[in-house]
Amino acid sequence: MTEPEALIAAARAAARNAHAPYSRFAVGAALRMTDGSIVTGANFENASYGLSLCAETVAIATASAQGRLGEVAEVAVIGGMLVEGVPTGDAPIRPCGRCRQVLNEAAQIGRRDLTVYCAGAEGDAFEEHRLSELLPHAFGPADLGL
Ligand code: THU
């Protein structure tokens, strides 16, 4: 398994813990840290729908809570509709706009562009992007002197 495939596999494992009973769309995110370790997150919905958290946001907040916000190097994001409790489908998903901004916080604090792998819940296909392409001309910590 290549390194992107291993990160995608970690995101897929995380998606199995998605709390997504309202959308029935499970998302998993996996962060490759600079030391090679992996931090994951899954979407966490709420009965008050607008309070729901995306998988990427959960993963980045987890890395930050570990004191490692500046150590994020790569991100894998996968998602698919839940069918009998299992995420399905091979169409790649890309981070929503809010999550791109959240990922940018880690990128600028760490002073590195992030590689973002996007895949579906199943299959071998994936896309490789740079966060700077997904969120060009970003506002971030650097604008506030950090
Ligand atoms: N979702 C994510 O977790 N990440 C994204 O980048 C896009 C959307 C979640 C939010 C919601 O729980 C479900 O997918 C359907 O929108």
Side-chain angles (χ1 to χ4, degrees), residues 93-115:
I93 68 154
R94 297 115 193 152
C96 77
R98 183 177 187 272
C99 285
R100 294 177 195 202
Q101 183 68 29
V102 170
L103 291 168
N104 181 64
E105 192 74 13
Q108 285 197 11
I109 292 293
R111 290 181 162 64
R112 70 177 64 78
D113 201 2
L114 304 184
T115 303

Side-chain angles (χ1 to χ4, degrees), residues 20-97:
Y22 309 109
S23 71
R24 297 191 181 84
F25 191 84
V27 181
L31 312 176
R32 171 103 52 204
M33 311 302 284
T34 51
D35 68 359
S37 62
I38 292 175
V39 174
T40 62
N43 53 335
F44 178 46
E45 296 184 349
N46 192 281
S48 179
Y49 296 172
L51 301 183
S52 297
L53 299 174
C54 287
E56 302 93 312
T57 293
V58 170
I60 290 287
T62 299
S64 183
Q66 294 176 356
R68 302 202 287 165
L69 182 61
E71 297 172 24
V72 180
E74 297 186 327
V75 184
V77 183
I78 73 89
M81 293 302 304
L82 287 166
V83 177
E84 293 174 0
V86 178
T88 58
D90 56 12
I93 68 154
R94 297 115 193 152
C96 77

